[in-house]
């Protein structure tokens, strides 16, 4: 199977891309950033008498984070309601519950502003809700064909501010919202510049309550973004779309994204041991939030690739956490199969992960990236050793997983720096059953 150099841009010219662009929300980063949410809402256009909605989950309500954010919003003069029905790895049906809540409370126009508070599930629920309410209709109207109708989101909607409580998904800057389609056992994305939030607040004081296991799992997702973004196609290896508006959101790496990837890999791999063993280490928590942000700027602009494509069928079938799924698949996919695409680049990844590659040849140093990544996971002591330990995946299920990856994840597979067949993907799944004994 081959993949067009155009990635997902179609129609396209038979000429290399020459232009790259970056779009990210307004950002406030650092301890106490959440205290400035009123100023941030004003900055992105929330009116003085506006009424908004915080989209979160029951855990964050119980921990007091939702109340803290609501207090700061109300202190700025706004009225705010709280929706705490978000589910982990939300399905379309789950998010429809939030949309129905909005329409019942506020009618077809919805709230004047939205705040997403939590991990990627809460943030993606907030993004989807704001977009669908603003544009009308139902979620599947805006999911790509053949699962949905593939309609364009033409209305950006009212202000949306995202407040992550994990250092992982990068949803706070992403133009994509990922949702499960339960009846098809797949995940789909609503992908549009109009999905992207207007602003994000990254406050490490909101992440200190994250347990060690979840800290590690979310960190692996962030690290996956950074490494995949660093090793995907260069933007000028792709084909230019006929209309600049059709340039895909995953548009290839640039010098700009590479800087963020390198910093992200260093920050995440250099601090995750600290935060897993001491969740109250605010300096390390801040470094992790910045690492996740930088990894998202890189990976969610340049493009996630094979590992993420393989992770979605696993997550849907076995209901695993996305971050731990990325953790068990990265060694054999990104740091195994893909190394042949550019050994020198992967040798640099090994250095960024902290590996000592002195005296090694380029290919030997490139292979060390995989060893160092596995060493990191074993040191954390809270992550599964492979797909078998993660979800009791067996050899008999590999063919189905490989088929689902190739059949449903073309958008991501086209970003991969090395073409893959179903047989290749099956071999990678097989390797991923056990990363260590």
């Amino acid at each position: 199977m081959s993949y067009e150099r155009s990635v997902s841009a179609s129609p396209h010219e038979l000429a290399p891309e020459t232009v790259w662009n970056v779009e990210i929300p307004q950002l406030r980063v650092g301890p106490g950033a959440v205290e400035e949410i009123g100023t941030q809402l004003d900055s992105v256009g929330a009116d003085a008498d506006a009424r908004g909605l915080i989209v979160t989950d029951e855990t964050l309500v119980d921990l007091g984070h939702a109340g803290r954010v609501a207090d700061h919003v109300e202190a700025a003069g706004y009225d705010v309601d709280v929706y705490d029905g978000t589910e982990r790895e939300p399905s379309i049906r789950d998010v429809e519950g939030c949309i129905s809540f909005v329409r019942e409370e506020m009618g077809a126009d919805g709230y004047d502003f939205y705040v997403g508070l939590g991990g990627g599930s809460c943030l993606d629920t907030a993004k989807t809700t704001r977009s669908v309410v603003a544009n009308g209709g139902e979620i599947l109207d805006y999911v790509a064909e053949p699962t949905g109708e593939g309609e364009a989101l033409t209305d950006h909607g009212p202000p949306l501010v995202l407040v992550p409580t994990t250092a992982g998904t990068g949803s706070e800057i992403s133009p994509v919202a990922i949702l499960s389609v339960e009846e098809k056992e797949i995940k789909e994305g609503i992908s549009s510049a109009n999905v992207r939030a207007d602003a994000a607040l990254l406050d490490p004081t909101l992440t200190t309550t994250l347990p060690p296991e979840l800290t590690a799992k979310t960190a692996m997702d962030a690290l996956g973004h950074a490494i995949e973004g660093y090793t995907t196609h260069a933007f000028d290896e792709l084909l230019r779309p006929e209309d600049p508006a059709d340039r895909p959101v995953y548009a290839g790496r640039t010098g700009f994204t590479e800087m963020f990837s390198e910093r992200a890999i260093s920050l995440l791999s250099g601090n995750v041991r600290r935060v897993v063993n001491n969740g109250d280490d605010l300096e390390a928590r801040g470094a992790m939030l910045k690492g996740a942000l930088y990894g998202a700027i890189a990976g969610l602009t340049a493009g996630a690739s094979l590992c993420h494509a393989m992770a979605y069928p696993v997550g849907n079938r076995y209901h695993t956490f996305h971050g731990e799924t990325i953790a068990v698949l990265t060694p054999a996919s990104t740091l195994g199969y893909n190394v042949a695409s550019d050994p020198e680049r992967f040798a640099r990844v090994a250095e960024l992960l902290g590996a000592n590659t002195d005296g090694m040849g380029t290919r030997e140093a490139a292979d060390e990236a995989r060893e160092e990544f596995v060493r990191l996971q074993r040191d954390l002591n809270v992550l599964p050793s492979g797909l078998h330990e993660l979800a009791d995946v067996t050899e008999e299920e590999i063919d189905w997983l490989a088929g689902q990856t190739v059949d449903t994840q073309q958008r991501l597979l086209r970003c991969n720096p090395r073409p893959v067949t179903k047989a290749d993907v099956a071999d990678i799944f097989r390797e991923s059953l056990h990363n260590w004994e």
Side-chain angles (χ1 to χ4, degrees), residues 253-407:
R253 60 180 165 82
T254 67
F256 179 86
T257 65
E258 288 174 346
M259 290 190 299
F260 283 99
S261 281
E262 291 194 343
R263 186 63 177 142
I265 296 168
S266 295
L267 283 170
L268 293 163
S269 62
N271 286 279
V272 66
R273 291 176 176 89
R274 288 173 59 183
V275 294
V276 166
N277 287 286
N278 179 11
D280 291 326
D281 186 335
L282 198 59
E283 179 184 41
R285 287 287 190 184
M288 293 296 292
L289 266 182
K290 286 184 282 189
L293 170 66
Y294 299 160
I297 291 173
L300 302 181
T301 299
S305 53
L306 174 60
C307 181
H308 271 74
M310 295 172 65
Y312 289 132
V314 174
N316 268 296
R317 189 175 182 95
Y318 305 102
H319 305 291
T320 55
F321 278 96
H322 180 63
E324 64 182 347
T325 312
I326 295 297
V328 301
L329 292 173
T330 292
S333 58
T334 306
L335 299 178
Y337 181 84
N338 280 349
V339 166
S341 68
D342 191 345
E344 186 173 353
R345 180 167 291 274
F346 282 91
R348 176 61 177 151
V349 171
E351 295 175 4
L352 293 166
L353 287 170
N356 182 358
T357 59
D358 291 347
M360 294 183 181
T362 300
R363 182 54 195 258
E364 184 182 5
D367 291 337
E368 189 63 20
R370 179 175 182 169
E371 299 302 317
E372 188 65 27
F373 188 85
V374 170
R375 190 175 298 120
L376 171 63
Q377 293 193 66
R378 299 190 72 170
D379 283 351
L380 297 178
N381 201 34
V382 292
L383 292 168
S385 60
L387 284 171
H388 184 69
E389 184 181 352
L390 171 67
D392 201 26
V393 180
T394 64
E395 174 79 29
E396 289 71 28
E397 294 158 281
I398 286 175
D399 184 71
W400 184 89
L401 289 169
Q404 282 290 98
T405 300
V406 171
D407 292 342

